[in-house]
Amino acid sequence: MAFSHVLSVLVSLFLWGDRVQPHCRCLYGQDCWPSKNAFASLSIQLTRPLLYPQPPASRCYVEAQPLLQKSAFGTDNCSDIIHQYTNGTWRADEPGAMQNTNFETFLLSNGTIEACYLDVTLGSPCLQGSIPPVGVDARTVTDIQAAINFAKRSNLRLVVKNTGHDYLGRSAGRGGFMVWTHNLKDKTFNSSFIPDGAPSSERVTYDAVTFGSGVQWHEAYTFVHQHGRSIVGGISLGGSVGSAGGWIMGGGHSALSPSLGLGVDNVLQFTIVLANGTYITANAYQHSNLFWALRGGGGGTYGIVVSVTYQTHPSSPLTMSLMVANFTSPLVAQRVATEFVKLHAMVSDAGWGGYTSVSNTNFQMLFVKPNISSVEDANLKFRRFIEFARNATEGQVQNVYRTYSTFLDWYDAIFTSQVGQVGSQVEITSRLLPRDLAVHDPAKAAKLMLSVNGGVITNSVAGGAVSHIDPSSTGLNPSWRRAIAEVYSIESWPEGSSEDTIIRARNRLKSKTDILDKLTTDSGAYLNEASLHERDFKKSFFGSHYARLKDIKEIYDPTSLFVVASGIGSDDWDGALECRL
């Protein structure tokens, strides 16, 4: 053994003490990979057989590549795969499927791409890409504990996959070992919930609901509605986003947030399995530092969440304001967009939230507010802006107000479609729009948004109730408390594109980030809908809370078993998250 290597080992031992770990994780195909006997021993401890996740398109290659295993999930019929390919709920049910297919692929250092494309006529072989080749279908706490202990003992790269989309690719990992929590589907309602460990002097009761980490929002909304209540949750086509995974740990925004706060403002308790296999409860009274970190510190970072308990809210009517406008020139677009930004702070303060698409040619706006049973209040809030847009566009405006009896009625009417948001190659960049800029220089904000090629989406999910929370009360980036919206843009590329095409798309995305960055003074972004190519992810995603979040991670995960892209402590690892720096 060379002296330099011996010295390196001794230095590592000195610095890490009893926390020393091998320099690199063990990946599939390497000599260190566990034997069949080792996996057989693990399988005995589990309630379900081991998973062998495969790219969803692999069933279209069975005839050409007969060695591919038949899937235990869904159908093996290629025509059915093609039909379901953009269905987010179907993708969530597939352990080998990511919501966006670029995270199933892997770009090698020599420029080749390892993937399994749906279009078999491209002539590329069906390969595993970034999908972990083996994993655990976790149905119980003991399943998770067995998986964690196995991964730690074998020094594997551990990947936690829940459900829903993930624009940082945290639920994939080439050559890794997957823990799939999608099937933790328990749901309970408790009208007199008290957080564990609360002293008698602070025993406030809540109408609360507890979801297993695999419960998706379309399931959660129906369950809460059946109990005559409402809840702040994620909103996407088909509702495939998980209610107790990365959504909540990244902050958890909603159209209801300006009225009722973010997800992290409504959570009461987590149960979680730590890196040492211990199953604990984290809330304001037990492991309160971890409770603080889980509310904004990011998914897949501190352990594997088993369940989340939320406070619920009374069910109420809800009113929607919808508007579409077409622009005849960039000057008209600037005028209308400026007026929209100016309006934004006022409607957020009043509890309105929603989603808007803004470009130089088109404007589409959807706002909603609970506790309104008629359209009169909506008309009062939006009439002036709509009339301004109608005059500016010479009548190229359509608008409608509509009232729904409950949140679920609105959600089912607008978001029931299962297709159209997933199943393609997409990367994203975002920034939080500060209230101060919107109020004091709306023209600048509008100009920046319109200068992004293809326009932007504005998620009006901050301000109002979100701004009333003490920024230090959760681990969430403090920028959220000063913002009124999240502004984002995307880049995509065709399936089977070359490395050059992908790099050009990513460079365009970086240019968009540079534009959006001028909206803020602190580069604040929503880490669940953000870019992998941030110059300083610690500043953009976590702000001034990063140092404390990392200190807490050192307490609960001292050997960094849990490492995700642009997550707490990931700067201690190489870009592939395989070896320590």
Side-chain angles (χ1 to χ4, degrees), residues 118-150:
L118 182 64
D119 185 356
V120 298
T121 65
L122 292 171
S124 301
C126 176
L127 300 173
Q128 193 75 12
S130 291
I131 299 168
V134 64
V136 169
D137 181 2
R139 306 292 179 109
T140 66
V141 171
T142 56
D143 284 342
I144 296 174
Q145 290 172 320
I148 285 178
N149 291 333
F150 181 80

Side-chain angles (χ1 to χ4, degrees), residues 252-305:
H253 72 55
S254 167
L256 300 185
S257 292
S259 286
L260 301 173
L262 296 165
V264 293
D265 304 326
N266 285 269
V267 66
L268 300 172
Q269 186 164 284
F270 293 89
T271 62
I272 183 172
V273 180
L274 302 176
N276 63 5
T278 306
Y279 176 55
I280 67 167
T281 296
N283 58 33
Y285 310 102
Q286 299 180 166
H287 302 284
S288 58
N289 57 348
L290 180 59
F291 183 55
W292 182 88
L294 289 171
R295 290 175 294 157
T301 298
Y302 295 93
I304 298 182
V305 168

Side-chain angles (χ1 to χ4, degrees), residues 11-52:
V11 169
S12 295
L13 285 168
F14 176 75
L15 291 175
W16 289 91
D18 61 2
R19 299 182 303 166
V20 68
Q21 288 285 296
H23 184 66
C24 296
R25 298 291 193 219
C26 180
L27 303 179
Y28 178 76
Q30 296 177 347
D31 291 342
C32 55
W33 188 254
S35 66
K36 290 183 179 179
N37 288 339
F39 278 111
S41 296
L42 169 63
S43 186
I44 294 171
Q45 304 173 54
L46 304 173
T47 61
R48 292 291 190 279
L50 284 169
L51 294 171
Y52 296 95

Side-chain angles (χ1 to χ4, degrees), residues 221 229-233 235 254-261 266 312-321 347-355 366-378 381-382 402-411 460-465:
Y221 290 141
R229 305 289 291 179
S230 184
I231 189 172
V232 175
I235 295 175
S254 167
L256 300 185
S257 292
S259 286
L260 301 173
N266 285 269
T312 64
H313 302 273
S315 182
S316 68
L318 176 148
T319 295
M320 177 180 71
S321 175
V347 296
S348 294
D349 288 347
W352 289 87
Y355 312 97
L366 182 159
F367 271 84
V368 67
K369 182 182 176 182
N371 297 311
I372 297 182
S373 57
S374 73
V375 301
E376 293 178 6
D377 186 67
K381 285 289 182 294
F382 293 97
R402 187 161 296 167
T403 296
Y404 298 85
S405 298
T406 67
F407 168 84
L408 185 64
D409 291 331
W410 170 73
Y411 181 83
S460 302
V461 291

